[in-house]
Structures are given as C-alpha cells and as structure tokens.
Amino acid sequence: MAMKYVMLRLDGGELLPLLFPAFMQHAHMAQSVPAAVVSAGRVHLENGKVIAGGASGSLNISSCKEDSGIIQAYFEGQNVIQQEL
C-alpha cells in the first residue's frame, strides 16, 4: 500500500520521517507539526524494502535519495533519529 511522507528537520538538525495515508495532503500534515519539511513524496514497500520517491505538489518539494534509507531504518527498529546526511 502506497503512503505519503514528509521528512522533518527537528530543531537539533535531526531528520524524522512522518508517514500518513495517501488521501491526505502533504501541506496539511506539514502544517500540523512544528518542524521544517526538507523533503516529501510517496513511499511503498518493494520486496521488503522501503522505496521513497516522487514529490509533493502542495508543498512544491521533492523527495531525496537518502529518504528511503532513513525510513527503512525506522521500520527495522533502528528508530534512532537520523542526523542529516
């Protein structure tokens, strides 16, 4: 099942992914959290791996190549906040 995501940069510079259902808008989710959005797009599983890509039209921002790995780390239980690459 495809979902959308926004990658947030917290005050300390850490990156935190926020995943949500595809029917919701990126801009709505971004406005609901007090953090800067650094990338956004869609995310799905492919052979057990997270694949992030695309872009958000409502935020006018694209995904980043590092997003898949950061989100994958959360799914694998390595839910430590990632430092920006």
Side-chain angles (χ1 to χ4, degrees), residues 25 33 39 49 63 75 78-79 83-84:
Q25 285 194 349
V33 292
S39 60
K49 292 290 182 188
S63 58
F75 279 114
Q78 304 167 16
N79 56 350
Q83 296 296 324
E84 185 173 6

Side-chain angles (χ1 to χ4, degrees), residues 30-69:
Q31 292 167 358
S32 70
V33 292
V37 175
V38 295
S39 60
R42 292 183 177 266
V43 63
H44 68 275
L45 287 177
E46 190 172 294
N47 297 322
K49 292 290 182 188
V50 171
I51 307 297
S56 164
S58 63
L59 291 175
N60 196 28
I61 194 167
S62 297
S63 58
C64 292
K65 61 181 176 165
E66 298 86 4
D67 292 350
S68 295

